[in-house]
Amino acid sequence: MINEKLEKAFNDQINAEFYSEYFYLSMYAYFDRMNLQGFKNWMNVQMQEEHAHAMGMFNYLNERGGKVTLQSIEQPKSDWSSPLEVFEDVLKHEQYVTSRINALMDVADEVKDRAAVSFLDWYLKEQVEEESNVGNVLKTLKLICNDKNCLYMLDKELATRTFVAPVIG
Ligand code: OFO
């Protein structure tokens, strides 16, 4: 069995991960409107990763005898002024998610659930990678400013990103 407070914290994080998927889906729609296929592909991979993150916790909670309680998903933003603004939002969002995973780990610590702490360690490492990937795209976007040729080249590069199903935990 899992502690009730920790169960709630897991359910809140499952919701946050599904929100992340929704958030990136909204960005996917934005890049589709802009006809930036590589950026759209990047968001598609990101959405699949977020889905995997949510399902990883979903399955873990079930495995631990907890109850998964799905919550409504907040409406995400749907308009941005540029790809740069999108990636600024992505970085802010991922930093926020990192702080949430840390807080979730604090709850696991507080209720002395060592198994959950160990499980969540994967998510902490994943956040380091997420922030670094996003930070790299953001740096390039800042460098190229609004140069259309460079944006086109970056779009080509982002088209090569592929989804690899993560092995969580
Ligand atoms: Fe699930 O890591 Fe991004 O949000």
Side-chain angles (χ1 to χ4, degrees):
M1 275 309 279
I2 196 158
N3 172 281
E4 226 174 88
K5 183 173 176 183
L6 184 56
E7 178 186 80
K8 183 181 180 315
F10 262 107
N11 275 311
D12 288 347
Q13 189 56 32
I14 289 169
N15 179 263
E17 299 290 346
F18 280 127
Y19 171 79
S20 295
E21 182 182 0
Y22 216 39
F23 186 55
Y24 295 128
L25 178 59
S26 191
M27 292 173 173
Y28 174 99
Y30 166 77
F31 286 121
D32 201 21
R33 292 197 295 278
M34 302 257 306
N35 199 25
L36 284 168
Q37 298 301 321
F39 280 90
K40 190 177 106 175
N41 173 64
W42 196 97
M43 288 301 162
N44 188 28
V45 173
Q46 195 68 12
M47 281 155 49
Q48 293 177 77
E49 287 200 352
E50 298 305 345
H51 189 80
H53 295 168
M55 290 310 295
M57 289 190 185
F58 182 109
N59 291 331
Y60 182 73
L61 200 48
N62 269 331
E63 195 184 330
R64 293 288 310 274
K67 182 185 171 204
V68 171
T69 309
L70 295 178
Q71 305 164 18
S72 40
I73 300 169
E74 194 190 319
Q75 180 177 7
K77 177 174 170 178
S78 54
D79 285 303
W80 290 268
S81 60
S82 64
L84 177 65
E85 197 200 2
V86 173
F87 273 84
E88 279 169 346
D89 278 2
V90 173
L91 184 61
K92 265 187 249 151
H93 181 68
E94 288 305 329
Q95 287 166 340
Y96 167 66
V97 172
T98 300
S99 73
R100 288 195 60 112
I101 300 286
N102 273 312
L104 177 55
M105 223 160 174
D106 285 346
V107 177
D109 244 339
E110 186 193 317
V111 302
K112 298 193 181 350
D113 191 327
R114 304 282 175 245
V117 170
S118 155
F119 171 76
L120 288 169
D121 201 46
W122 182 90
Y123 282 85
L124 269 190
K125 290 187 186 121
E126 173 74 356
Q127 283 310 120
V128 172
E129 208 183 301
E130 294 257 284
E131 284 190 33
S132 158
N133 287 342
V134 175
N136 286 338
V137 179
L138 188 56
K139 269 186 223 151
T140 309
L141 279 167
K142 280 183 176 160
L143 206 68
I144 66 179
C145 281
N146 285 325
D147 185 303
K148 291 226 171 13
N149 287 334
C150 294
L151 192 66
Y152 178 75
M153 278 164 67
L154 179 60
D155 190 59
K156 289 266 171 243
E157 192 188 316
L158 298 185
T160 61
R161 186 183 188 199
T162 52
F163 174 67
V164 180
V167 181
I168 299 176

